[in-house]
Amino acid sequence: MVADAYDAVIIGAGADGPVVAWKLAEAGLSVLLLEAGPFHGNKQWPKPHEEPGAEASSSVDDLSGELLDEQFTTREFEMVNNLLFGPADYKRGFWMRKFPGDGAILQCAGVGGTTLHYTGCHPRAYPAAIDEQGHWPISYADLIPYYQELEAVCDVTPAPVTAKEELFFRGAAAAGWDLIDEANVTRPGYRPQPNAIRPPDAMLHVDAGYDGDYSAADLTGHTLGVCDISGNPHPRGAPFEEKAKRASNISFVPLGLRTGNLTIRPNAFVTDIKTKPASGGRPIATGVTFRDTWSGDVESVAADVTVLAAGAIETPRLWLNSGLPTNEWVGRGLTIHYGDNVMGLWTAADLERTIGQGTVDQFQGQDIAARFDYPGLGMLQTVGTTPGIGAILGFGASAAGFAFQHDTTGEPWDTTGRLAGRQLKELLAGYRRMLQVLVVSDDHPHRRNGVTVRRGIADEHGPIPLVNYRPSQADRVRRDKLARIAAKILRAGGATHIHRSDSPPTALHLHSTMRMGKVVDDGCEAYDVGRLFVADHSVLANGLGGPNPTLTGQAVAARSAAQIQERYFT
Amino acid sequence: MIQQLFVDRLGRYLYEKGRLLGRYVRGGRTIHTIVTFRAAVDAVIPRTPDLAAELGPEHVPGGLEIGLAEYLISYVNHGFQLGLPQLGPRGTVALARPVATLLDAAALKLILRGDHTSPPSSTYVWPLISEDDSSPVPFLRAAGPFARLHPEDRLRAVGIIDEIDVEISRSEDELFEFNGGLVGQLVVGFAKLIYYCEWQGYEDYELPQSARKFTEDPGSIQGWAQTGYPGVANGYPALRGYLGTEDGPLGAGEIWTTVDDDPDRPAYIREEPGQFRENDYDTSDFEEVVPEETR
Ligand SMILES: Cc1cc2nc3c(=O)[nH]c(=O)nc-3n(C[C@H](O)[C@H](O)[C@H](O)COP(=O)(O)OP(=O)(O)OC[C@H]3O[C@@H](n4cnc5c(N)ncnc54)[C@H](O)[C@@H]3O)c2cc1C
C-alpha cells in the first residue's frame, strides 16, 4: 500500500530514478518510486499489459525471473509495442508527443524505463567534454568514484567478440586507427564496448561444441543472440536478478527493494508537483499528485524531498505543467547525439577471407559490442539488429528523400537516403551479409532546442511535450565527418556496398533539458524550488562528447543522492 | 503561393470528401483509405517477379500478399492516443483517414509541380486490387491521385510531404498541428518494420499477448524468408573471444586470431575477458575539431 507521506518521492523508475531510490532507501529513508508504465517480472502484476493488478510492490520477493521470461518474448514487434512510452493497457496507443520533421523519439515506459530497450553500453563520458567544453560546473574527477562504484554494481566488462565485431575491428585497424584500452578516453581509436552485461559463458566459444538450450541450468551470462533492444531476459530460467543484461530494473531495483524501505508504484503518472511558499521567496516542493493509468483515479502524496526522474522530455514537461517558476533554460538545451546510420554489405567470398565464414550473421552476439571513439566528434558503434528494427533504423526514415533521387558520385557511400521498392528488398536479401554502424555525434546544447508546452494541445495528463530540435551547422559537420570515417572503416573491412541513411533527427539518447548550472545547482537541486531535485539525463550539461549516456546519468544521480542526504537528512 | 493555397484548399476538400467516402466502409475503414494504404505499401515493399531469377522465388511476393496495408491502417488508427473523452472511449486519434487524404494532397502537389515521371492512371490502381475483393469497381472509383500514381512517383510524393503541415481538428476551437513528416514515418517506416518483423507469424495479433499464438515455422514469415533471418533464438555458440594486446589489460590467454598486425602493437582476439585500464588523463590540449561558430 502507498502511504500518505514519505521522506522522498521519486518520479520515474527509468535508468536513473532507481539509483537515487536505492541510495536513499539504503540510507534508511522511506522512499516512494512512482512510475508511469508497468512493472514487468513482478508477481503483483502477472499480466501487466492486460490487467491492472495490484497497487504497489515493496518486497524483493515479488520479483520473478519466470514471469519476466514469459513477458519478454524477445519478438521485436511485440516488445517494441509493449515497451515504448505509453500506458500499460495493450488496447491503448502510445502517448503522443510532437517531434519536428520525420524524426522520432524512442523512450520507454515501465520500471527500468528506456533501459528496457537499451543495449547495456556503459562507457564513461569523454573527460574533455566535462572539463574543457565549458558546460559543466563539476569536473570529470568528481564523477570517477561514482563511475567506479556503478561499474562494479552493473558488472561492466569489455564486450565479447563475435563475427560482426571482428569484422569491424579489422576494418578499423586497416583504416589506420589504434586500439584503446583505457577507461578515460582522450584520443581517437577503436575498442570493445564497456557493457553492463554479464559476459557469455566460456561454453559458448565457437570451438566448444555447445548444443544445449542456453538456459540457466547450463550457463550464466549473455547467450549471444541479438535481443537486447527487445528486452533480453536471458538466460531463461535465471532468477530476476541474475539476468545478463543489467538494465536498471535488474541491477538497481532489487538492491532498493532489499532495503525494505522502498515502495514502487507503477501505472502512476505524475501530473503535478506541489509547492508551498517559503522564506526568501523561493518556494519548496511538498509532494506530488499522480493519476492511476488504469482507473484514472487521482491521488496525492507528501514528501520532504521530491526527485524528478521522468527523463529529458517528461521532466521539463511536468515542471512546465506544474506552473513552477520559469527560468530561461527550463526545457532548453536538448542534445540527442544527432545520429545517422552507415551500412556495409559484403560478398560471401570476401567474408570468407576476412572472418572465415560467408555471413556476418548480425543476429548473433550482443547487440552493440564494438565502438570507435573520437573526442571532439562523437562515436561510432556497430549494431546487430533483428530485421524489422534494422529496416526502420537503417533504411526507413531519412531526411534525404529516397535513394533513387540521389547521385552519390565522389561520395564514400554507394547509395544514400530512404530505401524502398525493389532496391530495399534486394539489399535486405543480403541481411546476413551486412553490418550497420550507428553514428552518434557530439551535438552541442542550443537554447532553441528543447521542450515546450502549449495550452490546449493536451492529453489526459495535461499539455503534451512539443519537442523542437534543429542541429547547428557545426553539429551537422561533426556528424558528417563521423559518417565518412564509418564508411572508410567499412570499406577498409572489405564492404562492397555502403549505404548512408542520412537519418532525420532520431532521438535514442536524450539529455540536457534541465542542465546542471542552468536549472539545477551542482548538487542537482533546482535553483528556483527548494527540496526539488532532478535525477535523470536532463541534468547532464551537454552530450558528454558523444558516449552512451546512461553510466554518467546514473553516476550523477548517485552523487545527487549523497547531496540529498547531506542537505536534508543529516 | 497561389498554388500552395490551392493545394491546401484541395487538401481540406479531400479531407471532407474522405469523410463522405465513409459510405463505402469495410470494418470501419473507407475504401479510399484502403486503396491509398495499399498504394503506399505496394510502393515501399512491392511484388518483385524479376527478383526470382536473381535471388529465388521466395523473393517475389510483397506487402500486399500478407495483408500489410489493412494491418497498417488498423495500427495507425489505434496506435496513438490523447486519452480525451471527445475522441472516443479511449481517446485514440484515428489517423489513417487523414493520412490517406494527405497522401492525395501530396500527390496533387507533385503533379502540379510537374515533378512526376509518368502520367497518373488507373492502370496503377489495378495491381492494388486482389482476387479476394468482391468487385474492383469501388476501388477504381475511390482511388485518389496518390493511388493513381506510378509507384515511384508515390515515393516522390511521400518525399515532399514534409513540407505540408497537417491540422487535425480536435474540436471547434482547438487545433492540433502535426508536421507531415509523421506521415512518412507511418507509411514508410512502420510499413518496413511490420513487414520485416514477426507480425505475420501471429494467428491474431489483436489478441492480448497471453492469448496470442505464434507460428512454430519461422520460414513461413515472408519478411524473414526474404532476409534469411532464422527467427528468435535462445542463443548462439558464437563467442570468438576478447580483443586485447600482448601487454594490455583487455584480454588474456590463448590467441584466436590477429585483427591488427601493426608491428608496434598487434591486437588479438584472446580467450579470456579483461578490463579497461584506469588511466591518467590530460585534456589541456583539447581543441574542438569543429568549433561552434554558427548557430
Ligand atoms: C534502442 C535504445 C538503445 C539504447 N542503448 C543505450 C545504451 O546501450 N547505453 C546507454 O547509455 N544508453 C542507451 N540508450 C539510452 C538510454 O536508455 C537512456 O538515455 C536512458 O534510459 C535515459 O534515462 P532517464 O532516467 O533519463 O530516462 P528513462 O530511462 O527514459 O526513464 C524515465 C522514466 O520515467 C517515467 N515517467 C515519465 N514521465 C513520468 C511521469 N510524469 N510520472 C511517472 N513516471 C514518469 C517513464 O515511464 C520512464 O520509465 C538507448 C536507448 C534506446 C531507445
Side-chain angles (χ1 to χ4, degrees):
Chain A
M1 283 300 287
V2 169
D4 295 336
Y6 290 84
D7 290 332
V9 57
I10 298 165
I11 305 157
D16 302 348
V19 176
V20 181
W22 159 51
K23 287 283 180 184
L24 296 182
E26 194 182 45
L29 309 189
S30 65
V31 179
L32 175 66
L33 179 53
L34 295 168
E35 165 54 46
F39 200 150
H40 299 103
N42 188 303
K43 292 174 201 159
Q44 302 292 337
W45 296 273
K47 290 183 180 167
H49 294 281
E50 297 169 35
E51 294 160 6
E55 187 182 285
S57 173
S58 323
S59 166
V60 76
D61 297 331
D62 287 344
L63 301 176
S64 161
E66 210 174 315
L67 281 176
L68 200 69
D69 287 344
E70 191 180 300
Q71 291 155 10
F72 282 14
T73 59
T74 75
R75 294 192 289 261
E76 55 180 344
F77 190 58
E78 188 167 63
M79 292 308 296
V80 165
N81 285 313
N82 281 348
L83 300 181
L84 280 187
F85 192 64
D89 185 351
Y90 83 101
K91 292 198 206 94
R92 304 181 61 191
F94 302 128
W95 284 313
M96 194 84 105
R97 44 269 291 266
K98 181 197 171 276
F99 200 72
D102 50 2
I105 298 175
L106 284 172
Q107 281 184 310
C108 299
V111 172
T114 310
T115 70
L116 296 170
H117 256 344
Y118 97 145
T119 54
C121 309
H122 266 222
R124 299 179 182 181
Y126 295 145
I130 311 286
D131 290 346
E132 305 297 337
Q133 286 186 334
H135 299 127
W136 284 77
I138 61 172
S139 73
Y140 186 79
D142 291 329
L143 292 173
I144 288 182
Y146 296 99
Y147 279 152
Q148 288 170 335
E149 181 192 8
L150 298 183
E151 282 162 352
V153 173
C154 297
D155 300 295
V156 176
T157 49
V161 179
T162 64
K164 65 183 186 309
E165 291 79 28
E166 183 176 333
L167 189 59
F168 180 79
F169 293 142
R170 284 184 179 283
W177 299 103
D178 290 332
L179 169 65
I180 298 172
D181 60 13
E182 296 153 347
N184 308 306
V185 174
T186 55
R187 60 194 170 97
Y190 65 94
R191 58 177 176 145
Q193 277 285 4
N195 276 352
I197 302 179
R198 291 191 174 162
D201 207 293
M203 250 185 235
L204 296 186
H205 195 272
V206 282
D207 294 334
Y210 180 77
D211 72 345
D213 67 358
Y214 301 86
S215 74
D218 275 8
L219 44 74
T220 60
H222 199 273
T223 56
L224 300 182
V226 156
C227 64
D228 296 323
I229 293 177
S230 303
N232 191 1
H234 293 291
R236 299 263 183 217
F240 190 92
E241 290 174 71
E242 303 301 322
K243 301 300 189 186
K245 184 182 115 170
R246 313 306 286 168
S248 74
N249 57 325
I250 302 295
S251 53
F252 300 110
V253 164
L255 290 177
L257 288 174
R258 188 156 280 130
T259 62
N261 299 324
L262 170 64
T263 297
I264 302 179
R265 173 152 180 174
N267 308 311
F269 203 109
V270 177
T271 52
D272 192 30
I273 294 172
K274 294 188 295 184
T275 56
K276 69 173 185 201
S279 58
R282 182 197 191 207
I284 58 170
T286 57
V288 303
T289 300
F290 62 93
R291 186 173 173 278
D292 184 301
T293 65
W294 287 93
S295 67
D297 292 346
V298 174
E299 288 176 49
S300 288
V301 61
D304 288 338
V305 161
T306 301
V307 183
L308 267 162
I313 303 299
E314 294 295 326
T315 284
R317 174 201 187 190
L318 180 53
W319 179 289
L320 295 167
N321 285 349
S322 299
L324 299 180
T326 45
N327 149 330
E328 61 163 359
W329 281 97
V330 169
R332 303 307 183 92
L334 174 71
T335 53
I336 63 167
H337 283 169
Y338 181 45
D340 206 346
N341 262 275
V342 181
M343 189 277 304
L345 180 72
W346 280 256
T347 67
D350 287 342
L351 286 173
E352 199 69 62
R353 255 195 310 280
T354 32
I355 53 170
Q357 62 182 50
T359 50
V360 180
D361 286 347
Q362 56 165 302
F363 50 84
Q364 298 185 359
Q366 296 179 353
D367 293 24
I368 299 188
R371 62 185 285 117
F372 169 85
D373 292 288
Y374 199 140
L377 287 183
M379 67 163 187
L380 303 173
Q381 52 184 5
T382 56
V383 53
T385 56
T386 40
I389 292 173
I392 198 172
L393 264 187
F395 318 114
S398 175
F402 286 90
F404 67 83
Q405 298 168 306
H406 293 286
D407 182 10
T408 55
T409 324
E411 298 289 2
W413 29 81
D414 304 290
T415 47
T416 184
R418 229 180 229 160
L419 280 177
R422 186 185 191 283
Q423 213 180 0
L424 173 76
K425 287 177 79 180
E426 206 174 4
L427 204 63
L428 271 168
Y431 166 77
R432 295 191 62 176
R433 287 179 284 106
M434 63 173 63
L435 182 60
Q436 291 196 46
V437 173
L438 280 180
V439 172
V440 182
S441 71
D442 178 27
D443 57 347
H444 288 207
H446 311 294
R447 211 182 84 84
R448 68 166 172 273
N449 293 332
V451 180
T452 55
V453 294
R454 213 182 312 156
R455 277 189 59 201
I457 307 179
D459 70 4
E460 56 190 339
H461 303 122
I464 65 166
L466 308 174
V467 184
N468 291 305
Y469 182 83
R470 187 159 46 84
S472 68
Q473 192 53 34
D475 294 332
R476 289 178 195 280
V477 174
R478 278 180 220 112
R479 185 180 87 137
D480 194 58
K481 283 184 183 295
L482 281 167
R484 283 166 200 283
I485 293 172
K488 283 194 184 126
I489 288 176
L490 293 171
R491 194 74 79 185
T496 48
H497 183 106
I498 291 172
H499 178 78
R500 175 182 182 186
S501 74
D502 197 0
S503 310
T506 299
L508 290 90
H509 301 166
L510 296 122
H511 359 75
S512 54
T513 50
M514 304 284 277
R515 301 164 68 203
M516 196 194 276
K518 298 282 189 202
V519 178
V520 296
D521 64 25
D522 63 11
C524 291
E525 184 170 5
Y527 285 125
D528 293 327
V529 184
R531 294 179 177 269
L532 180 60
F533 287 77
V534 181
D536 60 33
H537 287 29
S538 56
V539 298
L540 304 179
N542 61 15
L544 313 176
N548 320 57
T550 301
L551 174 65
T552 304
Q554 293 176 337
V556 172
R559 188 174 170 277
S560 304
Q563 292 287 319
I564 291 170
Q565 289 170 66
E566 207 178 296
R567 293 183 191 188
Y568 294 107
F569 297 100
T570 40
Chain B
M1 257 330 271
I2 289 178
Q3 250 185 15
Q4 174 67 45
L5 207 69
F6 173 71
V7 171
D8 289 349
R9 290 260 162 82
L10 210 59
R12 266 167 220 242
Y13 165 76
L14 280 167
Y15 181 67
E16 286 308 315
K17 189 160 178 251
R19 287 190 195 182
L20 294 179
L21 281 167
R23 274 179 301 170
Y24 306 108
V25 174
R26 289 164 129 213
R29 301 172 288 211
T30 68
I31 300 272
H32 172 255
T33 305
I34 294 173
V35 75
T36 309
F37 270 71
R38 284 189 190 171
V41 163
D42 189 51
V44 177
I45 306 130
R47 192 178 161 77
T48 45
D50 58 327
L51 285 183
E54 193 186 321
L55 296 170
E58 71 276 22
H59 293 273
V60 173
L64 294 184
E65 274 92 339
I66 60 166
L68 180 56
E70 281 74 5
Y71 180 66
L72 193 59
I73 291 171
S74 154
Y75 193 74
V76 166
N77 273 342
H78 296 106
F80 303 88
Q81 55 113 20
L82 291 166
L84 293 167
Q86 66 266 36
L87 287 168
R90 296 277 175 192
T92 301
V93 199
L95 284 174
R97 207 149 69 177
V99 164
T101 307
L102 202 77
L103 289 171
D104 274 344
L108 283 173
K109 198 166 187 170
L110 184 84
I111 296 164
L112 281 174
R113 283 180 179 179
D115 286 348
H116 56 305
T117 50
S118 317
S121 154
S122 57
T123 334
Y124 303 125
V125 182
W126 280 101
L128 309 177
I129 305 168
S130 97
E131 286 167 9
D132 299 337
D133 296 317
S134 47
S135 156
V137 180
F139 287 88
L140 290 166
R141 207 184 280 158
F146 184 77
R148 289 170 194 276
L149 285 177
H150 182 279
E152 206 159 90
D153 285 333
R154 289 180 203 146
L155 295 176
R156 287 194 172 86
V158 174
I160 61 170
I161 223 163
D162 293 5
E163 301 162 21
I164 306 177
D165 278 330
V166 198
E167 292 175 353
I168 302 166
S169 280
R170 253 184 25 216
S171 64
E172 288 292 292
D173 54 347
E174 285 175 356
L175 264 188
F176 189 75
E177 290 173 296
F178 248 105
N179 186 296
L182 179 69
V183 173
Q185 195 67 267
L186 293 174
V187 301
V188 180
F190 276 88
K192 289 179 199 175
L193 170 68
I194 298 170
Y195 184 77
Y196 285 107
C197 76
E198 84 282 3
W199 166 74
Q200 195 202 342
Y202 297 102
E203 229 163 67
D204 183 359
Y205 187 78
E206 318 254 320
L207 292 174
Q209 182 177 338
S210 64
R212 270 174 216 154
K213 292 216 172 59
F214 189 68
T215 179
E216 302 280 312
D217 174 16
S220 67
I221 295 172
Q222 200 172 292
W224 288 3
Q226 292 178 354
T227 52
Y229 175 64
V232 170
N234 281 332
Y236 291 97
L239 177 64
R240 293 180 170 214
Y242 297 86
L243 193 62
T245 51
E246 197 88 71
D247 48 357
L250 283 181
E254 202 177 304
I255 292 170
W256 154 267
T257 188
T258 308
V259 298
D260 186 352
D261 45 20
D262 173 357
D264 294 336
R265 197 167 172 248
Y268 310 107
I269 293 173
R270 311 186 65 172
E271 197 179 346
E272 286 159 25
Q275 57 199 1
F276 288 97
R277 189 155 53 85
E278 191 63 71
N279 58 308
D280 290 336
Y281 56 91
D282 177 6
T283 56
S284 56
D285 60 351
F286 175 78
E287 268 177 49
E288 287 291 352
V289 185
V290 187
E292 197 69 43
E293 281 161 4
T294 51
R295 300 239 87 206

